[in-house]
Amino acid sequence: MQTQLGDLTGLAQTTEGLSQVLALLGRDAEAVTLLRDSVVFNRDKGSPLGLQRNRRAFTELSERLAPRTEHAAGLQEVAILLSAGERELGALLQPSA
């Protein structure tokens, strides 16, 4: 529905939330993929707040998956996209509390 409506903000939030749920269920590869998608949506929308939430979710996920080398490439891709988005919106990003 969000895709049909063009609700990129809602889509970014939903995909991040689903990423967190999948991570809790142990579906780590899918969690990484959905987090990547959320980062892309937030970059496309130009949402610094969304990228802040993505950064927190990424930090939690990457810390949990650090010993699991099979996720290294996917996490690296998310890190690159997230860092690029933060640079693009750099002046808009506020430090999180």
Side-chain angles (χ1 to χ4, degrees), residues 39 42-43 51 55 76-90 93:
V39 170
N42 280 314
R43 282 181 70 193
L51 289 177
R55 174 58 71 184
Q76 180 65 28
E77 181 182 4
V78 175
I80 289 167
L81 291 169
L82 187 54
S83 293
E86 290 168 338
R87 278 191 308 275
E88 291 164 3
L89 301 175
L93 288 174

Side-chain angles (χ1 to χ4, degrees), residues 45-82:
K45 181 69 175 177
S47 175
L49 182 58
L51 289 177
Q52 285 178 351
R53 287 192 301 263
N54 288 152
R55 174 58 71 184
R56 283 192 294 274
F58 172 75
T59 299
E60 291 172 13
L61 189 60
S62 61
E63 286 173 358
R64 191 174 70 72
L65 296 180
R68 311 249 335 256
T69 57
E70 67 269 24
H71 299 296
L75 289 169
Q76 180 65 28
E77 181 182 4
V78 175
I80 289 167
L81 291 169
L82 187 54

